[in-house]
Amino acid sequence: MDSQPQQTILIADDEPLARQRVRRLLEDLPGYRVCGEATDGNDTLHKIAELEPDILLLDIRMPGMDGMQAAGQISQLDNPPAVIFCTAYDHFAIQAFDVQACGYLLKPVRKEALAQTLARAGRTNRVQRRSLAGQTGQDSSQLAVRTHRGTELIDLDTILYCEADQKYVTLHHTRGETLCDYTLKELEQAYPQQLLRIHRNTLVGVHFIRGLQRTFDGRHLLSLKETESLLTVSRRHAPHVRQWLEQR
């Protein structure tokens, strides 16, 4: 018999049939227990205070306070649940990381996708997230990226570098590579403290910068921690990179 405690889940959706469907899916997934249901944003906040769920499955379009507004308030709590959006609309995915959501599922929710997203949420529970944020003092922002598997949330402080190639940008991070449809300019403007421009085709994660070296033919190469790759620094951006290293 599994001795692991069950994680409690609050389902927030204004449609009764949608709540019932998610509840049925959860009944087939071991390790989880539905502790309650909410019908709008205000009800969700009250139920979180009352039930203290580990995970919140949250619809966005709801009457009164919607799910995105509720998630904004939830992210300010001292002990928030992990938030997973369940919505029929894909255009809110970019806003999801602003409210520290850990998953984004499109309706109708599939059991396999739900299981995978719940597993990711469970690997870093709310206590661990709070502890890590307090210990490191680092920005815990995440980047929401649409992939063939759905929406992935990638921790910014795991990104080694971002490389543009034709119309896509590849995020090279500590767990592998992920294609995204953001531009380098969008990423650079959104995260100037985490990503540094070294070339018109490349941004690097500042946490992984090791040093700058110059080759015999005058080119500049940047070395990174966690990888043996040497990245080309353009002549235009070399002074700024040197300045950043001197001010470290």
Side-chain angles (χ1 to χ4, degrees), residues 74-137:
I74 292 166
S75 69
Q76 303 302 313
L77 297 176
D78 288 336
N79 197 23
V83 175
I84 298 172
F85 285 114
C86 299
T87 177
Y89 305 92
D90 62 1
H91 56 273
F92 293 105
I94 305 305
Q95 295 173 251
F97 69 86
D98 287 332
V99 291
Q100 300 177 29
C102 65
Y104 193 98
L105 295 170
L106 288 177
K107 295 178 178 178
V109 176
R110 295 181 298 106
K111 185 169 75 171
E112 295 80 7
L114 178 60
Q116 291 173 1
T117 305
L118 287 172
R120 285 199 300 269
R123 281 197 288 269
T124 305
N125 63 35
R126 56 184 180 170
V127 176
Q128 291 170 321
R129 287 197 304 276
R130 184 182 178 196
S131 175
L132 287 171
Q135 290 173 6
T136 65

Side-chain angles (χ1 to χ4, degrees), residues 14-80:
D14 63 312
E15 298 179 4
L17 290 178
R19 297 196 302 271
Q20 291 173 18
R21 185 176 189 280
V22 172
R23 184 183 279 272
R24 285 198 301 271
L25 292 176
L26 290 169
E27 288 174 353
D28 294 331
L29 299 177
Y32 304 101
R33 176 178 63 83
V34 176
C35 64
E37 297 181 4
T39 58
D40 58 39
N42 284 312
D43 190 24
T44 299
L45 295 177
H46 289 309
K47 292 289 175 58
I48 288 173
E50 175 189 352
L51 302 172
E52 298 185 349
D54 297 307
I55 298 170
L56 170 65
L57 298 179
L58 179 62
D59 187 24
I60 292 180
R61 290 284 180 87
M62 295 188 291
M65 180 191 294
D66 67 20
M68 196 63 70
Q69 293 171 320
Q73 294 196 32
I74 292 166
S75 69
Q76 303 302 313
L77 297 176
D78 288 336
N79 197 23

Side-chain angles (χ1 to χ4, degrees), residues 159-216:
I159 296 177
L160 298 165
Y161 61 99
C162 313
E163 186 176 37
D165 180 17
Q166 297 179 357
K167 68 175 183 176
Y168 291 106
V169 168
T170 301
L171 306 176
H172 300 262
H173 48 86
T174 54
R175 294 188 290 113
E177 299 179 1
T178 303
L179 279 178
C180 74
D181 56 5
Y182 299 115
T183 67
L184 289 184
K185 184 176 182 180
E186 288 173 331
L187 293 170
E188 181 181 25
Q189 290 178 344
Y191 305 108
Q193 302 302 315
Q194 292 97 341
L195 300 172
L196 179 70
R197 173 81 69 165
I198 67 167
H199 192 280
R200 65 185 178 87
N201 292 332
T202 315
L203 299 172
V204 297
V206 297
H207 299 305
F208 295 99
I209 294 177
R210 177 179 290 146
L212 183 67
Q213 54 187 268
R214 190 169 184 175
T215 65
F216 69 91

Side-chain angles (χ1 to χ4, degrees), residues 229-244:
S229 299
L230 293 174
L231 304 179
T232 299
V233 180
S234 69
R235 187 173 301 176
R236 174 186 173 189
H237 292 95
H240 181 56
V241 175
R242 278 198 300 268
Q243 181 182 19
W244 185 90

